[in-house]
Amino acid sequence: MSEYLAVLIFAVVGAAIVLFTFFLASLIRPKNPYPAKSVNYECAEEPIGPSWFQFNNRFYIFALIFVVFDVEVIFLFPWAVAFGQLGLFALIEMIIFIVILLFGLFYAWRKGVLTWV
Amino acid sequence: MSESLGMLELARVFGWLHELLVDTGLGEPWVTIITYAVLAVVVFGVLAVLALFLVWWERKIAGHIQQRFGPMRNGWHGWYQTIMDGLKLLQKEDVIIATRDKPVFFWAPVICFVAAFLAYVVMPFGKDLIVADLNIGILYILAVTTFTVISLLMAGWASHNKYALLGGMRSAAQVVSYEVPMVVSILVIVLFVGSLSMQDIVTAQSGNIFNWFIFRVPFGPIAFATYIIAATAEANRTPFDIPEAEQELVAGFNIEYSGMKFAMFFLAEFINLFTVSAIAVTLFFGGWNGAILPSWLWFLLKTCGVVLLLMLFRWTYPRLRVDQLMRFSWKFLVPVTFANLIIGAIIKYAGWYW
């Protein structure tokens, strides 16, 4: 497990380096905020309404399809690693698995989900 | 516990550090922790220098493609221009938006950088130059680098800016769409190596140059083509840079960031560029395998070659529209990569490969 310690230490050291540079910058940079400067940028126009608005719900649909395929890929990784020992049964099994999921993709395609309006 | 450090391949290079720490009489967990921490700082230094070099290189290439010179004033052909830019960003005022989401706004650049940095735990720089050869290597890289999406969404949301929110959402949709073809094209290689460890993938391609996966027809070149397209999209680079389309979204998710926070996004972007190129080299171009020259130099030269390819993409292709982008991923790349996976599995089962 000591190898996975490297991951933790890299995360901590990486964050520490970034925070240290922020601290370093805060020592030498000027600080002069005023109301007009702290308004969000909208090409020099006064912003109208809140910026946390409703966005296109297609983003959610693509995220849903992605979740399906990403979980599938997680199932495929152990199969790919062990494929050398598994033989014909694993090959046919996994082809059936992939074809079923591609049918799902095809269904979404025909329903017009993949077309960005 | 000392043999656990023996498994650490870089400890051979940094053996003197390990012995120095043991001589001070520290307990065992601390020796390992301090060794890794020093390695982390060293890797950061290497990456910072690489990123500065890549920014300068990209500006020179852009300049010459557009029939101008690029940076010329600071040193020979402007070689220390990016160092001066970094020093300038360090002195810049941190412009703060009154209506921002405070903690999310602050942590987004940190997470963006850490996500890019963590991939280098398992990067095989050379024969013995790897921080920790995790047995889930390539899966770990995929898992960790995807955190970048979260940081982009955080930055887009927390800025309380319409352009930033749109840029963040677009980049999430794009990265998520191109994640699937990228992972499946990597799966073909994993299928033939039979291991997820980065060093095993490299050693599987040792010996003859035709052992590189790029030359193993038909699945190798197809996997490389789909991987490099998906990787360009993952790194948010130009044919696929709608998240930060300068002309329509001004700068996308990082529009409200200034000073050092902006610099961190910029640094993470170039580290990601180097990461995807290094993965391409490891998977398809034999990693550090090569004759005469030392292994780390081969790795660096090959990676710079792939980076050059990505830079030429950036400066010679026009930007795609968002609908073309989604269509290309889901209606072309996903079916092609899955077909390639099935073909690869049949070839592997039948033994029609070398």
Side-chain angles (χ1 to χ4, degrees):
Chain A
M1 282 313 275
S2 83
E3 289 169 321
Y4 288 88
L5 196 62
V7 179
L8 179 69
I9 291 168
F10 263 63
V12 172
V13 171
I17 289 170
V18 177
L19 295 177
F20 176 72
T21 51
F22 285 0
F23 169 72
L24 204 68
S26 75
L27 293 180
I28 55 175
R29 71 184 171 214
K31 195 172 193 305
N32 179 27
Y34 47 87
K37 196 190 266 178
S38 42
V39 173
N40 54 354
Y41 173 74
E42 221 155 273
C43 301
E45 293 285 331
E46 294 260 324
I48 300 168
S51 298
W52 290 319
F53 54 86
Q54 285 189 315
F55 34 80
N56 200 333
N57 70 345
R58 301 234 159 238
F59 289 113
Y60 293 113
I61 295 170
F62 277 101
L64 274 178
I65 307 176
F66 162 71
V67 169
V68 173
F69 275 90
D70 218 34
V71 171
E72 176 192 0
V73 162
I74 291 298
F75 284 126
L76 285 174
F77 261 105
W79 167 76
V81 171
F83 184 69
Q85 297 112 54
L86 292 179
L88 186 63
F89 178 72
L91 176 67
I92 294 170
E93 188 89 328
M94 216 22 93
I95 288 177
I96 293 170
F97 181 63
I98 291 171
V99 165
I100 289 172
L101 272 142
L102 285 181
F103 265 120
L105 180 72
F106 189 64
Y107 176 74
W109 190 334
R110 287 299 300 268
K111 281 282 173 188
V113 174
L114 302 182
T115 315
W116 192 281
V117 183
Chain B
M1 280 297 275
S2 59
E3 62 266 23
S4 72
L5 201 76
M7 281 155 60
L8 213 177
E9 295 192 48
L10 253 185
R12 260 174 258 161
V13 180
F14 281 80
W16 57 271
L17 178 71
H18 184 239
E19 299 203 347
L20 199 78
L21 287 168
V22 170
D23 284 347
T24 58
L26 274 170
E28 181 34 58
W30 295 106
V31 173
T32 313
I33 288 172
I34 293 172
T35 314
Y36 278 134
V38 171
L39 288 182
V41 174
V42 169
V43 170
F44 173 78
V46 171
L47 287 181
V49 172
L50 269 174
L52 289 176
F53 168 71
L54 288 182
V55 174
W56 171 71
W57 203 29
E58 167 128 58
R59 291 176 67 179
K60 291 307 277 189
I61 287 174
H64 284 284
I65 283 178
Q66 296 167 352
Q67 298 199 343
R68 54 190 175 83
F69 288 116
M72 283 300 271
R73 296 297 172 90
N74 293 316
W76 179 79
H77 282 259
W79 69 268
Y80 65 86
Q81 177 72 47
T82 40
I83 299 172
M84 303 309 269
D85 284 343
L87 289 176
K88 181 202 74 176
L89 279 171
L90 198 64
Q91 300 165 34
K92 283 288 175 189
E93 182 184 347
D94 196 13
V95 178
I96 287 168
I97 308 307
T99 48
R100 77 198 185 283
D101 192 334
K102 226 174 177 176
V104 183
F105 188 82
F106 181 80
W107 286 105
V110 181
I111 290 180
C112 190
F113 175 78
V114 170
F117 184 55
L118 274 181
Y120 286 86
V121 174
V122 294
M123 200 60 85
F125 287 106
K127 204 166 184 337
D128 293 324
L129 286 170
I130 183 166
V131 175
D133 189 15
L134 302 184
N135 52 6
I136 54 161
I138 189 75
L139 184 64
Y140 162 82
I141 288 190
L142 291 170
V144 160
T145 49
T146 311
F147 273 106
T148 313
V149 192
I150 297 173
S151 73
L152 301 189
L153 265 180
M154 281 167 73
W157 173 263
S159 298
H160 194 252
N161 183 306
K162 295 182 181 86
Y163 296 123
L165 181 59
L166 246 165
M169 292 306 292
R170 277 184 182 189
S171 95
Q174 170 185 325
V175 173
V176 143
S177 294
Y178 281 84
E179 184 84 17
V180 177
M182 181 173 162
V183 175
V184 179
S185 40
I186 288 173
L187 257 177
V188 183
I189 306 304
V190 172
L191 188 75
F192 278 86
V193 177
S195 168
L196 294 168
S197 150
M198 297 294 267
Q199 291 290 41
D200 286 353
I201 293 173
V202 175
T203 44
Q205 304 171 65
S206 59
N208 196 326
I209 190 174
F210 291 104
N211 283 343
W212 294 4
F213 278 111
I214 181 87
F215 293 121
R216 301 205 187 173
V217 281
F219 61 90
I222 299 174
F224 175 69
T226 49
Y227 171 80
I228 207 75
I229 293 169
T232 318
E234 288 277 305
N236 285 337
R237 288 180 65 80
T238 290
F240 309 102
D241 78 332
I242 52 155
E244 40 192 297
E246 289 90 345
Q247 289 85 355
E248 39 173 324
L249 286 182
V250 201
F253 61 89
N254 61 20
I255 183 169
E256 295 291 7
Y257 283 88
S258 56
M260 251 0 242
K261 287 182 180 136
F262 171 74
M264 282 304 149
F265 277 119
F266 204 67
L267 185 62
E269 191 186 318
F270 276 86
I271 291 178
N272 273 332
L273 169 67
F274 193 78
T275 309
V276 294
S277 311
I279 296 172
V281 166
T282 308
L283 290 175
F284 300 102
F285 293 101
W288 40 257
N289 282 311
I292 304 164
L293 296 173
S295 58
W296 59 269
L297 193 59
W298 271 112
F299 177 80
L300 210 60
L301 287 175
K302 288 173 184 175
T303 311
C304 284
V306 179
V307 169
L308 179 66
L309 183 70
L310 290 178
M311 283 182 181
L312 292 180
F313 281 169
R314 172 160 183 177
W315 296 104
T316 46
Y317 288 126
R319 179 182 301 136
L320 268 70
R321 281 200 322 262
V322 64
D323 60 324
Q324 294 169 332
L325 190 98
M326 293 299 170
R327 192 174 65 206
F328 185 64
S329 171
W330 289 105
K331 295 187 180 175
F332 181 74
L333 279 184
V334 170
V336 164
T337 48
F338 272 109
N340 192 31
L341 179 64
I342 292 174
I343 291 171
I346 291 170
I347 290 173
K348 164 97 180 176
Y349 176 73
W352 297 330
Y353 66 102
W354 61 88

